[in-house]
Amino acid sequence: MTTTPSVDGAEAAGVPGPHPAPGPVVVGPQDSRYGELARGDNYRFVGAPDQIELVGSTGQVADALGRALAAGKRVAVRSGGHCPEAFVADPEVKVVIDLSLMSRVYYDPELNAVAIEAGATVGHVYKTLYWNWDVTLPAGVCTAVGMGGHISGGGYGPLSRLHGLVADHLYAVEVVHVDQGGQVRTVIATREPDDPNRALWWAHTGAGGGNYGIVTRFWMRSPEATGTDPAGLLPKPPASLLTAMVNWSWDQCDLPAFSRIVRNFMGWHVENSGPGSPFAGLFASLWVRHRSGGGLTMFVQMDSTAPDAAGKLDAFLAAVDEGVGVTPFVIRNELPWLTASRYMGQGDSGPVMGARIKTKAAYLRGVHTEEQIATLYRWFQREDYFGRESLMMLNGYGGAINAVGPADTASVQRDSVIKAAYSASWGNPAEDDAHIAWLRGLYGELYADTGGVPVPGDLADGSYINYPDIDLADPEQNRSGVPWHELYFKDNYAALQAVKATWDPRDVFHHALSVRLPEEQMTYPTAHIPDHYDFESIYAGKGKDAGKESGKAAGEEKAPPVQPWDIGRPQPALVAVHASGAVVGDVLDVGCGLGDNAAFLAGQGHRVTAIDVAEAAVQEGRRRAKAKGVEVEFAVADATRLTGFEGRFDTIVDSACFHALAADERERYLVALREASRPGATLHMFCFAQEFEAPFPGPHRHTAAYLREVVGGVWNVVSVEPATFSSSLGVDDISAMIKSEYPDGDVDPERLAGLALDEQGKATMPVWHVTAQRRP
């Protein structure tokens, strides 16, 4: 398939017939529906977007995305709204594109697959597939989850041991994305080996949502399926299920009994979870609730059509009960499949109850140690904590899941036997800290031997991106030294980054745990970039980075060199920021260079202090300000140590200073700026963007994700948006610079001829404009 422009209406939806697609519906803050739509399932997080757009077709998605980009607004997408972290309800998100109106499920003869729109819920998909064609997908038990995030993150459920992950049945995906030039495009990517877009399909089999674009449709067809009858394209569910619910009260369970139950449950799965296991049709989930909310409950289901199904269920129950020494309460039944699929009771309860949620997860390869089991017992028995809805779920895994190779899909964990989930749920906002502290304490102690997280090894294998946990990216919580992305994606991460670079090169779609752009996505080799720049020598014309000299006749005194950043006027990007009203009060221009930005701001009525480490630059800045008739306080100062400037500024402007700093200086620099600012101050930072092709060699370039992380460690990041900087370099200047920097390389004249030039014929450089607020 090739990239195609977006289309609208019923054609975009791929649905035969004259019925138009629903939507779009635009809901703003004054709309009575806004309070409902500004939040998802987790009431801990309430967004404040300028608008929510409920869309009904791929074309409407593309239109909404295009308008948001044109307005410079950050976008997030929502299908079912069940993400437990604030990936959508983020203060930076100004437009939420809600796919809940896109819920069609139908057979598409062109791709010979069942099409599922991304806003369809698990429950709706179950019913539609079952009633129409007597087929299903091995999806989850929470029927209100949207398929957009469920499939993208891999997706699993009670039939996964029998039929694999939901993503194992994904044939094709439709994605609305933004290309290198900022244009909105729509692409369909399939799993066909000769599809040039196949890597995009692969990335949607386990990397999670919010990484590459907006998924509007999935096409599902099992890899082994043949023919064109939709009744033969996906797995058939069992006609009925044998079910059992087993309950042990905490009054029955002292530590030895608890330990025996947990070890028996986990040990059985270690022995019976290989590909082709005769027990693949059996799924079990052990729920351990805090003592204030109950005891231990085990839900079990068995495919009733499997050979000796009742005997296999009996054998499992006996294996878990062996040596426990207490008699549990047991209910057994046989139920039709669709009814039984809901017996674990996972409905759409979050918003109804106003639930506030925190979750964590782990893939498990082996049985917990006695020390780990004792840790679990101690935390679930704590009498100084009341957590009626706080629990651990040990969910059966493996079977058909583990018949797929770790690199065949983006779901890399393919030899685990249990998927564990740990969660707390409560209603009172005043209890947030207590519940989160309890969950962090349990998880951190459970995996204390590996730095507080389930590092891949003999017993664990990382975490599950559909149960996202931003603590894994926090070095205070993750002390393992293993980065969060390795816990989620392991060796697949580099390939996921390559897909990111191809399909979302501008990092339009991002969140706290999204796939980052490759750090080495540079147009020019980086070996020439020094750790520290000697700007005094550069301004004096003594180094190779001294810029281009003005022409003078032989014997004449040379004029100071013209630097690439010396455009003789304020940067247009900064002028635009000022015009928007975002520069207020007393201003610090840090790394001011030759002072044109400072002079401009002073001319607009601001009291401006401008500092630079190079005395030559400061002297020239004073001269230029005087020539313009404006007053600026200039000073020679190290921007990483702003002693004497504490608490003075309402706005700080960094016009291409940060990217000239060495790695060990950056945090110290950001702290110094914070100390120099007043409460409520704003930082505007312009930094060379690594995501986009650079027209000329330069200092360090950084990704938007890196800037959010580093700046966000000291300041509250409001936005990271693309902007453009002007330079003093024409095509000939750049050609000479490249030949000087890389004498052994050739300059591609065609590439240079296509450079983006400003109105003065000078090359422009893509930058990130970071806006951040001072942290109290």
Side-chain angles (χ1 to χ4, degrees):
M1 297 296 215
T2 57
T3 302
T4 57
S6 299
V7 291
D8 209 345
E11 180 184 356
V15 181
H19 302 290
V25 177
V26 180
V27 173
Q30 304 307 314
D31 193 297
S32 62
R33 296 165 290 184
Y34 182 85
E36 184 79 23
L37 292 169
R39 69 182 85 206
D41 191 66
N42 190 351
Y43 266 39
R44 282 178 60 208
F45 307 114
V46 182
D50 295 341
Q51 62 196 51
I52 300 113
E53 296 206 27
L54 293 95
V55 291
S57 72
T58 302
Q60 291 177 18
V61 170
D63 290 344
L65 178 57
R67 290 194 303 274
L69 293 176
K73 296 182 177 181
R74 180 175 160 188
V75 172
V77 62
R78 179 173 62 208
S79 55
H82 281 68
C83 179
E85 295 287 5
F87 294 168
V88 177
D90 185 312
E92 288 189 39
V93 172
K94 300 304 178 186
V95 176
V96 173
I97 298 179
D98 188 299
L99 304 178
S100 56
L101 296 181
M102 296 184 67
S103 59
R104 302 173 184 88
V105 180
Y106 59 94
Y107 172 65
D108 183 345
E110 182 178 351
L111 293 184
N112 188 32
V114 176
I116 299 175
E117 291 186 330
T121 62
V122 169
H124 176 60
V125 170
Y126 278 159
K127 289 181 180 178
T128 306
L129 294 180
Y130 189 48
W131 296 139
N132 280 288
W133 305 293
D134 187 22
V135 297
T136 191
L137 286 167
V141 297
C142 188
T143 56
V145 165
M147 294 301 284
H150 191 57
I151 298 176
S152 298
Y156 83 106
L159 294 183
S160 288
R161 284 170 52 87
L162 198 58
H163 297 300
L165 301 179
V166 181
D168 294 342
H169 301 269
L170 179 64
Y171 174 72
V173 62
E174 180 178 64
V175 184
V176 180
H177 71 106
V178 181
D179 67 15
Q180 181 72 61
Q183 297 300 305
V184 176
R185 304 289 184 186
T186 302
V187 64
I188 295 174
T190 76
R191 68 172 177 236
E192 296 295 342
D194 61 349
D195 186 342
N197 304 324
R198 189 179 190 276
L200 184 63
W201 162 84
W202 176 84
H204 284 88
T205 60
N211 285 299
Y212 306 104
I214 301 176
V215 178
T216 49
R217 278 185 291 182
F218 302 94
W219 284 266
M220 312 303 294
R221 188 207 311 159
S222 299
E224 69 280 3
T226 59
T228 58
D229 184 351
L233 298 180
L234 291 171
K236 286 193 175 297
S240 64
L241 295 174
L242 303 178
T243 67
M245 184 181 72
V246 183
N247 182 262
W248 299 267
S249 71
W250 276 120
D251 291 339
Q252 294 175 290
C253 290
D254 56 10
L255 176 57
F258 174 79
S259 176
R260 192 76 182 199
I261 293 168
V262 172
R263 282 192 290 110
N264 287 350
F265 182 90
M266 299 182 79
W268 184 93
H269 281 87
V270 170
E271 296 297 324
N272 296 281
S273 298
S277 167
F279 284 90
L282 187 148
F283 170 80
S285 180
L286 178 62
W287 293 24
V288 180
R289 293 188 181 276
H290 185 265
R291 67 174 296 112
S292 59
L296 284 66
T297 302
M298 183 172 67
F299 298 92
V300 192
Q301 67 176 52
M302 178 69 200
D303 176 2
S304 69
T305 66
D308 191 23
K312 287 184 171 67
L313 178 57
D314 289 342
F316 171 75
L317 295 176
V320 175
D321 189 56
E322 183 183 357
V324 174
V326 298
T327 303
F329 176 75
V330 182
I331 299 177
R332 296 180 62 161
N333 208 340
E334 182 173 356
L335 298 169
W337 170 74
L338 189 59
T339 299
S341 70
R342 300 190 292 268
Y343 89 107
M344 289 175 66
Q346 292 292 288
D348 189 10
S349 59
V352 173
M353 302 301 295
R356 306 171 73 80
I357 303 163
K358 177 64 180 176
T359 63
K360 293 178 177 291
Y363 288 95
L364 302 178
R365 288 169 159 160
V367 179
H368 280 328
T369 65
E370 287 295 337
E371 183 179 359
Q372 286 179 304
I373 294 174
T375 294
L376 289 171
Y377 185 82
R378 185 167 57 255
W379 281 88
F380 280 100
Q381 287 284 326
R382 280 184 56 170
E383 296 184 358
D384 60 345
Y385 170 72
F386 183 88
R388 189 177 62 182
E389 299 297 329
S390 298
L391 75 153
M392 172 184 72
M393 291 187 289
L394 300 179
N395 299 308
Y397 209 63
I401 298 168
N402 291 353
V404 178
D408 292 344
T409 66
S411 299
V412 68
Q413 288 89 356
R414 293 291 184 164
D415 64 358
S416 296
V417 300
I418 288 174
K419 184 177 282 186
Y422 315 85
S423 66
S425 178
W426 63 99
N428 185 352
E431 299 175 3
D432 285 4
D433 291 345
H435 291 286
I436 294 172
W438 178 86
L439 187 61
R440 284 175 171 169
L442 180 152
Y443 192 78
E445 188 173 335
L446 184 64
Y447 298 106
D449 288 347
T450 52
V453 296
V455 173
D458 292 340
L459 299 182
D461 197 24
S463 191
Y464 178 41
I465 193 61
N466 272 3
Y467 298 159
D469 174 19
I470 61 171
D471 289 350
L472 298 188
D474 182 351
E476 292 188 7
Q477 303 296 325
N478 175 5
R479 303 175 300 280
S480 69
V482 177
W484 64 268
H485 54 76
E486 187 171 329
L487 296 172
Y488 285 118
F489 308 122
K490 302 203 307 181
D491 292 342
N492 282 349
Y493 188 59
L496 293 171
Q497 287 185 290
V499 178
K500 178 76 168 180
T502 300
W503 295 102
D504 186 24
R506 300 170 70 93
D507 199 29
V508 172
F509 301 96
H510 56 264
H511 53 71
L513 296 177
S514 60
V515 173
R516 310 299 198 238
L517 285 160
E519 285 298 319
E520 290 303 320
Q521 189 179 325
M522 303 288 279
T523 309
Y524 299 99
T526 60
H528 74 288
I529 301 177
D531 287 337
H532 296 83
Y533 284 90
D534 182 356
F535 281 103
E536 194 66 54
S537 296
I538 291 172
Y539 281 111
K542 297 177 181 177
K544 68 175 183 178
D545 298 308
K548 63 182 193 296
E549 295 178 350
S550 317
K552 288 286 182 180
E556 288 188 71
E557 181 183 352
K558 290 183 179 180
V562 178
Q563 308 302 332
W565 55 86
D566 180 12
I567 63 174
R569 66 188 192 281
Q571 275 291 340
L574 177 62
V575 174
V577 170
H578 185 273
S580 73
V583 177
V584 299
D586 294 344
V587 179
L588 172 65
D589 182 1
V590 61
C592 66
L594 301 171
D596 292 309
N597 289 335
F600 163 74
L601 293 170
Q604 301 301 309
H606 298 282
R607 184 164 58 185
V608 180
T609 299
I611 66 167
D612 200 282
V613 71
E615 185 173 356
V618 169
Q619 290 176 353
E620 176 63 12
R622 288 194 181 106
R623 188 194 66 77
R624 293 188 185 189
K626 183 177 180 180
K628 292 180 173 67
V630 296
E631 183 176 342
V632 176
E633 178 187 348
F634 283 95
V636 177
D638 177 354
T640 68
R641 294 178 175 84
L642 294 177
T643 304
F645 294 94
E646 292 87 348
R648 286 182 50 182
F649 305 106
D650 304 293
T651 302
I652 297 178
V653 173
D654 172 343
S655 181
C657 176
F658 181 84
H659 60 222
L661 298 173
D664 62 349
E665 296 176 319
R666 294 167 194 162
E667 182 177 359
R668 191 165 68 246
Y669 168 76
L670 292 165
V671 170
L673 297 187
R674 183 187 64 197
E675 295 303 312
S677 64
R678 293 171 177 152
T682 301
L683 168 65
H684 293 285
M685 175 188 292
F686 296 92
C687 177
F688 283 4
Q690 183 168 306
E691 289 85 342
F692 312 125
E693 183 175 2
F696 52 82
H700 306 283
R701 287 188 284 277
H702 299 298
T703 66
Y706 174 81
L707 292 170
R708 288 187 197 96
E709 290 178 359
V710 175
V711 179
V714 181
W715 293 70
N716 291 329
V717 175
V718 176
S719 62
V720 182
E721 303 294 342
T724 301
F725 255 35
S726 293
S727 78
S728 64
L729 304 178
V731 174
D732 292 341
D733 302 316
I734 296 173
S735 178
M737 176 186 288
I738 296 172
K739 289 178 180 178
S740 173
E741 295 283 358
Y742 310 106
D744 297 329
D746 295 326
V747 176
D748 182 353
E750 292 186 4
R751 183 174 62 80
L752 290 177
L755 289 176
L757 305 177
D758 64 14
E759 67 281 0
Q760 299 186 17
K762 304 300 184 182
T764 61
M765 174 67 87
V767 298
W768 288 117
H769 171 206
V770 181
T771 304
Q773 294 291 326
R774 185 185 190 274
R775 209 167 274 169

